[in-house]
Amino acid sequence: MIRGNYSLAKEVRKNEQKHKQKLQQKQKNAHLNKTLQDVNPVQLYYQIERLENSTDLDHHQKKRLEKLRSDWAFIRKNKLHKEKIDELLKRIEKDKLAKEKEENRLKGKESIYFNPELNPLGMVPTMSDAVNGLSSRLPNASKPLKHRTVYQPDPIIAQLNIQPPNGSPPQFYKQVQNTVLTSFTSTIQGLPPPSSNKRKHSTINSDDKNHDESDGPNNFDSTDDER
């Protein structure tokens, strides 16, 4: 059944337009395939990552990011540079697992959060924001700190003419004190060690016992019987 508004010429033009679009898309894919064969996929991946991590992108950088993402999707879809990409993704996953393991490692005395009583394992504390309901994890740093932050002096110090104390500035971590038990004789001078006191006390007890036995009922004085 033929529709009343059916036109054979329009149908032919429509089919020709579809065929033309398919041909153009095929030519575009062939050109893109040939172009991306010479692209380094590792550099392409890190370019996308660097732009994604940037906070302030202008209009041209955003368009470039979209173009790079499109190229990366085309490479993944058509399996171009498959070996290089698989090796890259495996290395990234391995580095990610190693980083997570290092962040969760208990460093003990090497940790800047170490405390012999409160935190002997050196666990990393978690900062929580009760107002916003957010929590953030502090870096699992060890001492001495490799990267130190240098802060500029407060200008109000110069205005008030405050003189800082002499000596080196304070460090960002505090060395834990009293972690090693000292000997008894080193802390209290002039007193013998506990072992010698114990031996002396046992000697005194044995002398008292011998003295009591000598004064017992069996050891009587012969002069009293003669009387």
Side-chain angles (χ1 to χ4, degrees):
M1 182 177 180
I2 301 176
R3 298 189 301 270
N5 57 354
Y6 176 77
S7 175
L8 181 60
K10 290 183 179 180
E11 188 71 20
V12 172
R13 287 196 299 269
K14 185 177 180 180
N15 292 334
E16 289 179 353
Q17 187 70 20
K18 288 182 179 180
H19 179 71
K20 185 178 180 180
Q21 290 177 356
K22 289 181 180 180
L23 184 60
Q24 290 177 353
Q25 185 66 30
K26 186 176 180 180
Q27 293 175 353
K28 180 180 178 181
N29 291 339
H31 176 71
L32 191 60
N33 190 356
K34 183 179 179 180
T35 304
L36 295 179
Q37 287 286 350
D38 301 330
V39 173
N40 189 348
V42 179
Q43 294 181 357
L44 178 62
Y45 177 85
Y46 286 114
Q47 287 177 1
I48 296 174
E49 186 181 41
R50 184 172 62 254
L51 290 175
E52 288 178 345
N53 294 332
S54 300
T55 55
D56 49 348
L57 296 178
D58 55 12
H59 178 68
H60 298 286
Q61 290 177 337
K62 290 180 180 179
K63 290 186 65 176
R64 175 172 173 77
L65 179 59
E66 293 179 359
K67 177 65 169 55
L68 294 177
R69 285 175 175 174
S70 177
D71 293 344
W72 179 259
F74 184 86
I75 291 175
R76 296 286 290 167
K77 181 179 180 181
N78 294 274
K79 298 181 180 180
L80 302 178
H81 310 286
K82 187 175 184 303
E83 295 181 358
K84 291 184 178 180
I85 293 177
D86 291 343
E87 183 180 356
L88 172 65
L89 297 179
K90 287 181 181 179
R91 186 172 70 252
I92 292 174
E93 185 67 20
K94 183 179 179 180
D95 295 342
K96 181 180 178 181
L97 294 177
K99 184 178 179 180
E100 292 179 355
K101 183 178 180 180
E102 179 65 21
E103 290 178 353
N104 297 325
R105 185 169 68 91
L106 299 176
K107 298 183 178 181
K109 292 184 178 181
E110 298 179 358
S111 175
I112 61 174
Y113 311 106
F114 169 75
N115 187 286
E117 296 181 358
L118 302 179
N119 192 6
L121 298 179
M123 297 181 63
V124 180
T126 302
M127 300 294 293
S128 59
D129 188 356
V131 178
N132 299 323
L134 301 176
S135 61
S136 59
R137 182 180 175 87
L138 296 175
N140 191 8
S142 58
K143 55 184 180 182
L145 297 176
K146 296 181 180 179
H147 304 286
R148 298 186 179 183
T149 304
V150 179
Y151 297 95
Q152 298 297 329
D154 194 346
I156 197 173
I157 296 178
Q159 295 177 5
L160 299 178
N161 195 17
I162 299 176
Q163 297 297 330
N166 298 326
S168 59
Q171 302 294 328
F172 289 96
Y173 64 92
K174 181 180 179 182
Q175 187 71 24
V176 181
Q177 304 293 331
N178 301 327
T179 58
V180 179
L181 294 177
T182 56
S183 61
F184 184 78
T185 56
S186 62
T187 55
I188 303 178
Q189 299 294 335
L191 294 179
S195 58
S196 61
N197 288 338
K198 185 176 181 180
R199 289 196 300 269
K200 183 177 180 181
H201 183 68
S202 61
T203 306
I204 295 174
N205 291 338
S206 62
D207 294 342
D208 293 341
K209 184 176 180 181
N210 295 333
H211 181 70
D212 293 340
E213 290 178 355
S214 62
D215 295 340
N218 295 330
N219 298 329
F220 56 89
D221 192 357
S222 60
T223 56
D224 294 339
D225 292 341
E226 291 176 357
R227 291 177 184 176

